[in-house]
Amino acid sequence: MTSRRRPSEQARPLPIPIPPSMNETIESYLRRLAVVNHVSYGTLQRHLGLDPARLGLRIRPGNLVRLVAVTGYSREQLIRTLPQLSNRHTDTARLADWPRPACPACTNRHRGGAVTRYYPSYVHACPKHQICFSGG
């Protein structure tokens, strides 16, 4: 008889959890998480139950349970900061439907490399550092 495990039991927590940046793309967050924990992006995707061969990331409920288990952040925290989990990035009244690199000065405090996030369509420069975003 084989025992069926829940998805959260199959996913082991990473040794170094890092918080997602506000309005960060899932891909950006997973890439930074992989870098900080010294694993490949593809390995992390497989650990989360995602198919590295597929184009575009789609986090299903089972994958979200694994992401919660791996990072230690609650489902609500991840949904609030990663707009793709709730489709907030398609709400053009709030955010433009295309991600852009974040201000390097603002994201220096985020470990793991550059951050890509969704911004409102009218934002083209960092209000704090007055640095223009590329692709805006």
Side-chain angles (χ1 to χ4, degrees), residues 68-104:
V68 167
V70 164
T71 62
Y73 291 99
S74 73
R75 182 180 191 277
E76 292 75 26
Q77 287 172 309
L78 292 172
I79 289 173
R80 186 175 50 247
T81 56
L82 302 171
Q84 290 168 301
L85 294 178
S86 63
N87 289 330
R88 274 188 303 120
H89 68 294
T90 59
D91 181 0
T92 55
R94 293 185 178 186
L95 299 172
D97 193 17
W98 69 91
R100 292 179 273 173
C103 167

PDB file of all heavy atoms in Angstrom, residues 68-104:
ATOM      1  N   VAL A  68       4.321  27.964   0.055  1.00  0.00           N
ATOM      2  CA  VAL A  68       4.157  28.351   1.463  1.00  0.00           C
ATOM      3  C   VAL A  68       5.076  27.504   2.343  1.00  0.00           C
ATOM      4  O   VAL A  68       5.777  28.022   3.213  1.00  0.00           O
ATOM      5  CB  VAL A  68       2.677  28.209   1.899  1.00  0.00           C
ATOM      6  CG1 VAL A  68       2.529  28.282   3.403  1.00  0.00           C
ATOM      7  CG2 VAL A  68       1.827  29.274   1.223  1.00  0.00           C
ATOM      8  N   ALA A  69       5.110  26.193   2.095  1.00  0.00           N
ATOM      9  CA  ALA A  69       5.940  25.293   2.902  1.00  0.00           C
ATOM     10  C   ALA A  69       7.428  25.578   2.705  1.00  0.00           C
ATOM     11  O   ALA A  69       8.205  25.554   3.651  1.00  0.00           O
ATOM     12  CB  ALA A  69       5.633  23.839   2.538  1.00  0.00           C
ATOM     13  N   VAL A  70       7.832  25.873   1.484  1.00  0.00           N
ATOM     14  CA  VAL A  70       9.241  26.104   1.158  1.00  0.00           C
ATOM     15  C   VAL A  70       9.743  27.424   1.726  1.00  0.00           C
ATOM     16  O   VAL A  70      10.858  27.516   2.234  1.00  0.00           O
ATOM     17  CB  VAL A  70       9.432  26.052  -0.376  1.00  0.00           C
ATOM     18  CG1 VAL A  70      10.741  26.657  -0.803  1.00  0.00           C
ATOM     19  CG2 VAL A  70       9.343  24.627  -0.865  1.00  0.00           C
ATOM     20  N   THR A  71       8.924  28.472   1.661  1.00  0.00           N
ATOM     21  CA  THR A  71       9.379  29.805   2.070  1.00  0.00           C
ATOM     22  C   THR A  71       9.083  30.121   3.534  1.00  0.00           C
ATOM     23  O   THR A  71       9.762  30.956   4.127  1.00  0.00           O
ATOM     24  CB  THR A  71       8.716  30.901   1.220  1.00  0.00           C
ATOM     25  OG1 THR A  71       7.298  30.863   1.418  1.00  0.00           O
ATOM     26  CG2 THR A  71       9.043  30.732  -0.248  1.00  0.00           C
ATOM     27  N   GLY A  72       8.058  29.508   4.090  1.00  0.00           N
ATOM     28  CA  GLY A  72       7.669  29.831   5.454  1.00  0.00           C
ATOM     29  C   GLY A  72       6.777  31.061   5.555  1.00  0.00           C
ATOM     30  O   GLY A  72       6.390  31.462   6.642  1.00  0.00           O
ATOM     31  N   TYR A  73       6.445  31.664   4.424  1.00  0.00           N
ATOM     32  CA  TYR A  73       5.538  32.809   4.416  1.00  0.00           C
ATOM     33  C   TYR A  73       4.120  32.307   4.211  1.00  0.00           C
ATOM     34  O   TYR A  73       3.887  31.340   3.510  1.00  0.00           O
ATOM     35  CB  TYR A  73       5.922  33.813   3.318  1.00  0.00           C
ATOM     36  CG  TYR A  73       7.218  34.489   3.624  1.00  0.00           C
ATOM     37  CD1 TYR A  73       8.400  34.066   3.039  1.00  0.00           C
ATOM     38  CD2 TYR A  73       7.276  35.534   4.538  1.00  0.00           C
ATOM     39  CE1 TYR A  73       9.607  34.668   3.350  1.00  0.00           C
ATOM     40  CE2 TYR A  73       8.475  36.139   4.857  1.00  0.00           C
ATOM     41  CZ  TYR A  73       9.638  35.697   4.267  1.00  0.00           C
ATOM     42  OH  TYR A  73      10.820  36.283   4.591  1.00  0.00           O
ATOM     43  N   SER A  74       3.161  32.976   4.826  1.00  0.00           N
ATOM     44  CA  SER A  74       1.768  32.532   4.730  1.00  0.00           C
ATOM     45  C   SER A  74       1.227  32.737   3.317  1.00  0.00           C
ATOM     46  O   SER A  74       1.736  33.545   2.543  1.00  0.00           O
ATOM     47  CB  SER A  74       0.900  33.285   5.736  1.00  0.00           C
ATOM     48  OG  SER A  74       0.702  34.620   5.310  1.00  0.00           O
ATOM     49  N   ARG A  75       0.157  32.027   3.051  1.00  0.00           N
ATOM     50  CA  ARG A  75      -0.513  32.149   1.753  1.00  0.00           C
ATOM     51  C   ARG A  75      -0.941  33.595   1.525  1.00  0.00           C
ATOM     52  O   ARG A  75      -0.775  34.141   0.443  1.00  0.00           O
ATOM     53  CB  ARG A  75      -1.721  31.216   1.768  1.00  0.00           C
ATOM     54  CG  ARG A  75      -2.518  31.171   0.511  1.00  0.00           C
ATOM     55  CD  ARG A  75      -3.682  30.181   0.690  1.00  0.00           C
ATOM     56  NE  ARG A  75      -4.320  29.900  -0.556  1.00  0.00           N
ATOM     57  CZ  ARG A  75      -5.264  30.665  -1.112  1.00  0.00           C
ATOM     58  NH1 ARG A  75      -5.661  31.756  -0.492  1.00  0.00           N
ATOM     59  NH2 ARG A  75      -5.789  30.342  -2.268  1.00  0.00           N
ATOM     60  N   GLU A  76      -1.477  34.226   2.557  1.00  0.00           N
ATOM     61  CA  GLU A  76      -1.952  35.605   2.455  1.00  0.00           C
ATOM     62  C   GLU A  76      -0.806  36.574   2.160  1.00  0.00           C
ATOM     63  O   GLU A  76      -0.958  37.503   1.366  1.00  0.00           O
ATOM     64  CB  GLU A  76      -2.674  36.025   3.740  1.00  0.00           C
ATOM     65  CG  GLU A  76      -3.989  35.313   3.976  1.00  0.00           C
ATOM     66  CD  GLU A  76      -3.821  33.859   4.439  1.00  0.00           C
ATOM     67  OE1 GLU A  76      -2.769  33.523   5.038  1.00  0.00           O
ATOM     68  OE2 GLU A  76      -4.726  33.059   4.165  1.00  0.00           O
ATOM     69  N   GLN A  77       0.344  36.367   2.811  1.00  0.00           N
ATOM     70  CA  GLN A  77       1.501  37.233   2.561  1.00  0.00           C
ATOM     71  C   GLN A  77       1.963  37.105   1.116  1.00  0.00           C
ATOM     72  O   GLN A  77       2.281  38.100   0.459  1.00  0.00           O
ATOM     73  CB  GLN A  77       2.663  36.871   3.494  1.00  0.00           C
ATOM     74  CG  GLN A  77       2.454  37.282   4.926  1.00  0.00           C
ATOM     75  CD  GLN A  77       3.552  36.732   5.812  1.00  0.00           C
ATOM     76  OE1 GLN A  77       3.851  35.542   5.789  1.00  0.00           O
ATOM     77  NE2 GLN A  77       4.161  37.616   6.589  1.00  0.00           N
ATOM     78  N   LEU A  78       2.011  35.882   0.612  1.00  0.00           N
ATOM     79  CA  LEU A  78       2.465  35.667  -0.766  1.00  0.00           C
ATOM     80  C   LEU A  78       1.466  36.247  -1.765  1.00  0.00           C
ATOM     81  O   LEU A  78       1.863  36.888  -2.740  1.00  0.00           O
ATOM     82  CB  LEU A  78       2.695  34.176  -1.022  1.00  0.00           C
ATOM     83  CG  LEU A  78       3.858  33.557  -0.256  1.00  0.00           C
ATOM     84  CD1 LEU A  78       3.878  32.045  -0.434  1.00  0.00           C
ATOM     85  CD2 LEU A  78       5.187  34.169  -0.681  1.00  0.00           C
ATOM     86  N   ILE A  79       0.194  36.063  -1.532  1.00  0.00           N
ATOM     87  CA  ILE A  79      -0.825  36.606  -2.438  1.00  0.00           C
ATOM     88  C   ILE A  79      -0.797  38.132  -2.428  1.00  0.00           C
ATOM     89  O   ILE A  79      -0.961  38.771  -3.459  1.00  0.00           O
ATOM     90  CB  ILE A  79      -2.221  36.057  -2.082  1.00  0.00           C
ATOM     91  CG1 ILE A  79      -2.297  34.580  -2.465  1.00  0.00           C
ATOM     92  CG2 ILE A  79      -3.323  36.854  -2.758  1.00  0.00           C
ATOM     93  CD1 ILE A  79      -3.558  33.874  -2.016  1.00  0.00           C
ATOM     94  N   ARG A  80      -0.566  38.730  -1.274  1.00  0.00           N
ATOM     95  CA  ARG A  80      -0.528  40.189  -1.166  1.00  0.00           C
ATOM     96  C   ARG A  80       0.673  40.782  -1.913  1.00  0.00           C
ATOM     97  O   ARG A  80       0.565  41.841  -2.521  1.00  0.00           O
ATOM     98  CB  ARG A  80      -0.489  40.605   0.305  1.00  0.00           C
ATOM     99  CG  ARG A  80      -0.587  42.095   0.519  1.00  0.00           C
ATOM    100  CD  ARG A  80      -0.681  42.495   1.988  1.00  0.00           C
ATOM    101  NE  ARG A  80       0.341  41.890   2.819  1.00  0.00           N
ATOM    102  CZ  ARG A  80       0.114  40.983   3.783  1.00  0.00           C
ATOM    103  NH1 ARG A  80      -1.108  40.571   4.025  1.00  0.00           N
ATOM    104  NH2 ARG A  80       1.095  40.494   4.498  1.00  0.00           N
ATOM    105  N   THR A  81       1.816  40.109  -1.904  1.00  0.00           N
ATOM    106  CA  THR A  81       3.012  40.677  -2.519  1.00  0.00           C
ATOM    107  C   THR A  81       3.243  40.229  -3.953  1.00  0.00           C
ATOM    108  O   THR A  81       3.883  40.946  -4.723  1.00  0.00           O
ATOM    109  CB  THR A  81       4.272  40.343  -1.688  1.00  0.00           C
ATOM    110  OG1 THR A  81       4.355  38.938  -1.529  1.00  0.00           O
ATOM    111  CG2 THR A  81       4.238  41.032  -0.351  1.00  0.00           C
ATOM    112  N   LEU A  82       2.749  39.064  -4.343  1.00  0.00           N
ATOM    113  CA  LEU A  82       2.949  38.547  -5.701  1.00  0.00           C
ATOM    114  C   LEU A  82       1.628  38.652  -6.467  1.00  0.00           C
ATOM    115  O   LEU A  82       0.753  37.799  -6.337  1.00  0.00           O
ATOM    116  CB  LEU A  82       3.431  37.096  -5.656  1.00  0.00           C
ATOM    117  CG  LEU A  82       4.729  36.843  -4.889  1.00  0.00           C
ATOM    118  CD1 LEU A  82       4.985  35.349  -4.732  1.00  0.00           C
ATOM    119  CD2 LEU A  82       5.900  37.525  -5.570  1.00  0.00           C
ATOM    120  N   PRO A  83       1.454  39.689  -7.281  1.00  0.00           N
ATOM    121  CA  PRO A  83       0.151  39.942  -7.912  1.00  0.00           C
ATOM    122  C   PRO A  83      -0.311  38.852  -8.871  1.00  0.00           C
ATOM    123  O   PRO A  83      -1.505  38.712  -9.106  1.00  0.00           O
ATOM    124  CB  PRO A  83       0.343  41.271  -8.640  1.00  0.00           C
ATOM    125  CG  PRO A  83       1.797  41.468  -8.750  1.00  0.00           C
ATOM    126  CD  PRO A  83       2.435  40.702  -7.634  1.00  0.00           C
ATOM    127  N   GLN A  84       0.591  38.047  -9.396  1.00  0.00           N
ATOM    128  CA  GLN A  84       0.182  36.984 -10.316  1.00  0.00           C
ATOM    129  C   GLN A  84      -0.606  35.879  -9.609  1.00  0.00           C
ATOM    130  O   GLN A  84      -1.354  35.153 -10.259  1.00  0.00           O
ATOM    131  CB  GLN A  84       1.399  36.376 -11.010  1.00  0.00           C
ATOM    132  CG  GLN A  84       2.037  37.320 -12.002  1.00  0.00           C
ATOM    133  CD  GLN A  84       3.395  36.815 -12.449  1.00  0.00           C
ATOM    134  OE1 GLN A  84       4.279  36.626 -11.638  1.00  0.00           O
ATOM    135  NE2 GLN A  84       3.533  36.597 -13.738  1.00  0.00           N
ATOM    136  N   LEU A  85      -0.458  35.763  -8.311  1.00  0.00           N
ATOM    137  CA  LEU A  85      -1.191  34.734  -7.575  1.00  0.00           C
ATOM    138  C   LEU A  85      -2.674  35.058  -7.478  1.00  0.00           C
ATOM    139  O   LEU A  85      -3.493  34.171  -7.283  1.00  0.00           O
ATOM    140  CB  LEU A  85      -0.599  34.557  -6.171  1.00  0.00           C
ATOM    141  CG  LEU A  85       0.815  34.005  -6.121  1.00  0.00           C
ATOM    142  CD1 LEU A  85       1.302  33.922  -4.687  1.00  0.00           C
ATOM    143  CD2 LEU A  85       0.891  32.645  -6.800  1.00  0.00           C
ATOM    144  N   SER A  86      -3.025  36.322  -7.596  1.00  0.00           N
ATOM    145  CA  SER A  86      -4.436  36.714  -7.508  1.00  0.00           C
ATOM    146  C   SER A  86      -4.917  37.400  -8.781  1.00  0.00           C
ATOM    147  O   SER A  86      -6.017  37.927  -8.813  1.00  0.00           O
ATOM    148  CB  SER A  86      -4.632  37.666  -6.324  1.00  0.00           C
ATOM    149  OG  SER A  86      -3.889  38.847  -6.531  1.00  0.00           O
ATOM    150  N   ASN A  87      -4.108  37.419  -9.817  1.00  0.00           N
ATOM    151  CA  ASN A  87      -4.416  38.091 -11.089  1.00  0.00           C
ATOM    152  C   ASN A  87      -4.574  39.598 -10.940  1.00  0.00           C
ATOM    153  O   ASN A  87      -5.213  40.246 -11.757  1.00  0.00           O
ATOM    154  CB  ASN A  87      -5.643  37.490 -11.765  1.00  0.00           C
ATOM    155  CG  ASN A  87      -5.359  36.117 -12.317  1.00  0.00           C
ATOM    156  OD1 ASN A  87      -4.232  35.821 -12.708  1.00  0.00           O
ATOM    157  ND2 ASN A  87      -6.357  35.267 -12.326  1.00  0.00           N
ATOM    158  N   ARG A  88      -3.985  40.185  -9.871  1.00  0.00           N
ATOM    159  CA  ARG A  88      -4.022  41.642  -9.713  1.00  0.00           C
ATOM    160  C   ARG A  88      -3.247  42.332 -10.830  1.00  0.00           C
ATOM    161  O   ARG A  88      -3.514  43.479 -11.161  1.00  0.00           O
ATOM    162  CB  ARG A  88      -3.412  42.060  -8.366  1.00  0.00           C
ATOM    163  CG  ARG A  88      -4.366  42.052  -7.235  1.00  0.00           C
ATOM    164  CD  ARG A  88      -3.783  42.646  -5.975  1.00  0.00           C
ATOM    165  NE  ARG A  88      -2.567  41.967  -5.558  1.00  0.00           N
ATOM    166  CZ  ARG A  88      -1.386  42.565  -5.430  1.00  0.00           C
ATOM    167  NH1 ARG A  88      -1.239  43.833  -5.639  1.00  0.00           N
ATOM    168  NH2 ARG A  88      -0.330  41.871  -5.061  1.00  0.00           N
ATOM    169  N   HIS A  89      -2.253  41.635 -11.417  1.00  0.00           N
ATOM    170  CA  HIS A  89      -1.458  42.257 -12.467  1.00  0.00           C
ATOM    171  C   HIS A  89      -2.266  42.488 -13.738  1.00  0.00           C
ATOM    172  O   HIS A  89      -1.847  43.235 -14.603  1.00  0.00           O
ATOM    173  CB  HIS A  89      -0.211  41.423 -12.761  1.00  0.00           C
ATOM    174  CG  HIS A  89      -0.509  40.099 -13.405  1.00  0.00           C
ATOM    175  ND1 HIS A  89      -1.182  39.098 -12.748  1.00  0.00           N
ATOM    176  CD2 HIS A  89      -0.219  39.631 -14.626  1.00  0.00           C
ATOM    177  CE1 HIS A  89      -1.288  38.054 -13.547  1.00  0.00           C
ATOM    178  NE2 HIS A  89      -0.718  38.353 -14.697  1.00  0.00           N
ATOM    179  N   THR A  90      -3.425  41.872 -13.858  1.00  0.00           N
ATOM    180  CA  THR A  90      -4.268  42.109 -15.035  1.00  0.00           C
ATOM    181  C   THR A  90      -5.291  43.212 -14.798  1.00  0.00           C
ATOM    182  O   THR A  90      -6.020  43.571 -15.711  1.00  0.00           O
ATOM    183  CB  THR A  90      -5.000  40.815 -15.450  1.00  0.00           C
ATOM    184  OG1 THR A  90      -5.800  40.372 -14.359  1.00  0.00           O
ATOM    185  CG2 THR A  90      -4.020  39.727 -15.841  1.00  0.00           C
ATOM    186  N   ASP A  91      -5.351  43.742 -13.580  1.00  0.00           N
ATOM    187  CA  ASP A  91      -6.260  44.841 -13.259  1.00  0.00           C
ATOM    188  C   ASP A  91      -5.573  46.152 -13.678  1.00  0.00           C
ATOM    189  O   ASP A  91      -4.831  46.746 -12.917  1.00  0.00           O
ATOM    190  CB  ASP A  91      -6.570  44.844 -11.764  1.00  0.00           C
ATOM    191  CG  ASP A  91      -7.542  45.948 -11.364  1.00  0.00           C
ATOM    192  OD1 ASP A  91      -7.980  46.713 -12.247  1.00  0.00           O
ATOM    193  OD2 ASP A  91      -7.837  46.046 -10.168  1.00  0.00           O
ATOM    194  N   THR A  92      -5.830  46.584 -14.906  1.00  0.00           N
ATOM    195  CA  THR A  92      -5.115  47.737 -15.459  1.00  0.00           C
ATOM    196  C   THR A  92      -5.441  49.048 -14.757  1.00  0.00           C
ATOM    197  O   THR A  92      -4.746  50.036 -14.947  1.00  0.00           O
ATOM    198  CB  THR A  92      -5.388  47.883 -16.968  1.00  0.00           C
ATOM    199  OG1 THR A  92      -6.792  47.944 -17.183  1.00  0.00           O
ATOM    200  CG2 THR A  92      -4.786  46.716 -17.734  1.00  0.00           C
ATOM    201  N   ALA A  93      -6.467  49.061 -13.926  1.00  0.00           N
ATOM    202  CA  ALA A  93      -6.744  50.264 -13.138  1.00  0.00           C
ATOM    203  C   ALA A  93      -5.706  50.428 -12.025  1.00  0.00           C
ATOM    204  O   ALA A  93      -5.469  51.525 -11.554  1.00  0.00           O
ATOM    205  CB  ALA A  93      -8.142  50.195 -12.537  1.00  0.00           C
ATOM    206  N   ARG A  94      -5.078  49.326 -11.637  1.00  0.00           N
ATOM    207  CA  ARG A  94      -4.077  49.367 -10.561  1.00  0.00           C
ATOM    208  C   ARG A  94      -2.656  49.181 -11.078  1.00  0.00           C
ATOM    209  O   ARG A  94      -1.745  49.893 -10.683  1.00  0.00           O
ATOM    210  CB  ARG A  94      -4.370  48.283  -9.535  1.00  0.00           C
ATOM    211  CG  ARG A  94      -5.630  48.531  -8.792  1.00  0.00           C
ATOM    212  CD  ARG A  94      -5.804  47.512  -7.724  1.00  0.00           C
ATOM    213  NE  ARG A  94      -7.018  47.820  -6.985  1.00  0.00           N
ATOM    214  CZ  ARG A  94      -7.375  47.191  -5.923  1.00  0.00           C
ATOM    215  NH1 ARG A  94      -6.645  46.228  -5.446  1.00  0.00           N
ATOM    216  NH2 ARG A  94      -8.486  47.534  -5.306  1.00  0.00           N
ATOM    217  N   LEU A  95      -2.441  48.157 -11.888  1.00  0.00           N
ATOM    218  CA  LEU A  95      -1.099  47.827 -12.357  1.00  0.00           C
ATOM    219  C   LEU A  95      -1.110  47.620 -13.867  1.00  0.00           C
ATOM    220  O   LEU A  95      -2.088  47.144 -14.434  1.00  0.00           O
ATOM    221  CB  LEU A  95      -0.599  46.534 -11.689  1.00  0.00           C
ATOM    222  CG  LEU A  95      -0.471  46.556 -10.172  1.00  0.00           C
ATOM    223  CD1 LEU A  95      -0.169  45.153  -9.656  1.00  0.00           C
ATOM    224  CD2 LEU A  95       0.593  47.531  -9.724  1.00  0.00           C
ATOM    225  N   ALA A  96       0.004  47.956 -14.504  1.00  0.00           N
ATOM    226  CA  ALA A  96       0.149  47.671 -15.927  1.00  0.00           C
ATOM    227  C   ALA A  96       0.415  46.172 -16.068  1.00  0.00           C
ATOM    228  O   ALA A  96       1.018  45.550 -15.201  1.00  0.00           O
ATOM    229  CB  ALA A  96       1.306  48.476 -16.502  1.00  0.00           C
ATOM    230  N   ASP A  97      -0.025  45.584 -17.170  1.00  0.00           N
ATOM    231  CA  ASP A  97       0.092  44.139 -17.365  1.00  0.00           C
ATOM    232  C   ASP A  97       1.460  43.742 -17.934  1.00  0.00           C
ATOM    233  O   ASP A  97       1.580  42.741 -18.601  1.00  0.00           O
ATOM    234  CB  ASP A  97      -1.039  43.650 -18.270  1.00  0.00           C
ATOM    235  CG  ASP A  97      -1.156  42.135 -18.260  1.00  0.00           C
ATOM    236  OD1 ASP A  97      -0.607  41.508 -17.338  1.00  0.00           O
ATOM    237  OD2 ASP A  97      -1.781  41.582 -19.169  1.00  0.00           O
ATOM    238  N   TRP A  98       2.471  44.539 -17.700  1.00  0.00           N
ATOM    239  CA  TRP A  98       3.811  44.143 -18.121  1.00  0.00           C
ATOM    240  C   TRP A  98       4.787  44.463 -16.993  1.00  0.00           C
ATOM    241  O   TRP A  98       4.761  45.542 -16.418  1.00  0.00           O
ATOM    242  CB  TRP A  98       4.222  44.833 -19.424  1.00  0.00           C
ATOM    243  CG  TRP A  98       4.446  46.298 -19.315  1.00  0.00           C
ATOM    244  CD1 TRP A  98       5.624  46.928 -19.040  1.00  0.00           C
ATOM    245  CD2 TRP A  98       3.483  47.348 -19.471  1.00  0.00           C
ATOM    246  NE1 TRP A  98       5.462  48.283 -19.015  1.00  0.00           N
ATOM    247  CE2 TRP A  98       4.155  48.573 -19.274  1.00  0.00           C
ATOM    248  CE3 TRP A  98       2.115  47.364 -19.751  1.00  0.00           C
ATOM    249  CZ2 TRP A  98       3.497  49.788 -19.345  1.00  0.00           C
ATOM    250  CZ3 TRP A  98       1.486  48.589 -19.819  1.00  0.00           C
ATOM    251  CH2 TRP A  98       2.183  49.773 -19.621  1.00  0.00           C
ATOM    252  N   PRO A  99       5.598  43.501 -16.632  1.00  0.00           N
ATOM    253  CA  PRO A  99       6.558  43.739 -15.551  1.00  0.00           C
ATOM    254  C   PRO A  99       7.752  44.548 -16.040  1.00  0.00           C
ATOM    255  O   PRO A  99       8.100  44.516 -17.218  1.00  0.00           O
ATOM    256  CB  PRO A  99       6.981  42.333 -15.134  1.00  0.00           C
ATOM    257  CG  PRO A  99       6.767  41.513 -16.344  1.00  0.00           C
ATOM    258  CD  PRO A  99       5.624  42.134 -17.093  1.00  0.00           C
ATOM    259  N   ARG A 100       8.360  45.288 -15.117  1.00  0.00           N
ATOM    260  CA  ARG A 100       9.546  46.081 -15.443  1.00  0.00           C
ATOM    261  C   ARG A 100      10.597  45.886 -14.353  1.00  0.00           C
ATOM    262  O   ARG A 100      10.261  45.610 -13.209  1.00  0.00           O
ATOM    263  CB  ARG A 100       9.177  47.558 -15.523  1.00  0.00           C
ATOM    264  CG  ARG A 100       8.268  47.880 -16.698  1.00  0.00           C
ATOM    265  CD  ARG A 100       7.911  49.334 -16.736  1.00  0.00           C
ATOM    266  NE  ARG A 100       6.725  49.540 -15.892  1.00  0.00           N
ATOM    267  CZ  ARG A 100       6.243  50.724 -15.608  1.00  0.00           C
ATOM    268  NH1 ARG A 100       6.817  51.816 -16.054  1.00  0.00           N
ATOM    269  NH2 ARG A 100       5.174  50.855 -14.848  1.00  0.00           N
ATOM    270  N   PRO A 101      11.862  46.063 -14.713  1.00  0.00           N
ATOM    271  CA  PRO A 101      12.905  45.995 -13.686  1.00  0.00           C
ATOM    272  C   PRO A 101      12.669  47.081 -12.641  1.00  0.00           C
ATOM    273  O   PRO A 101      12.327  48.210 -12.976  1.00  0.00           O
ATOM    274  CB  PRO A 101      14.197  46.252 -14.454  1.00  0.00           C
ATOM    275  CG  PRO A 101      13.868  45.967 -15.876  1.00  0.00           C
ATOM    276  CD  PRO A 101      12.408  46.281 -16.050  1.00  0.00           C
ATOM    277  N   ALA A 102      12.859  46.720 -11.392  1.00  0.00           N
ATOM    278  CA  ALA A 102      12.672  47.681 -10.303  1.00  0.00           C
ATOM    279  C   ALA A 102      13.887  48.593 -10.198  1.00  0.00           C
ATOM    280  O   ALA A 102      14.955  48.299 -10.741  1.00  0.00           O
ATOM    281  CB  ALA A 102      12.451  46.941  -8.997  1.00  0.00           C
ATOM    282  N   CYS A 103      13.717  49.681  -9.496  1.00  0.00           N
ATOM    283  CA  CYS A 103      14.796  50.631  -9.259  1.00  0.00           C
ATOM    284  C   CYS A 103      15.950  49.902  -8.567  1.00  0.00           C
ATOM    285  O   CYS A 103      15.753  49.305  -7.510  1.00  0.00           O
ATOM    286  CB  CYS A 103      14.282  51.767  -8.379  1.00  0.00           C
ATOM    287  SG  CYS A 103      15.569  52.815  -7.698  1.00  0.00           S
ATOM    288  N   PRO A 104      17.150  49.926  -9.140  1.00  0.00           N
ATOM    289  CA  PRO A 104      18.283  49.225  -8.524  1.00  0.00           C
ATOM    290  C   PRO A 104      18.598  49.739  -7.123  1.00  0.00           C
ATOM    291  O   PRO A 104      18.960  48.959  -6.246  1.00  0.00           O
ATOM    292  CB  PRO A 104      19.448  49.496  -9.472  1.00  0.00           C
ATOM    293  CG  PRO A 104      18.851  49.968 -10.738  1.00  0.00           C
ATOM    294  CD  PRO A 104      17.515  50.552 -10.402  1.00  0.00           C
TER     295      PRO A 104
END
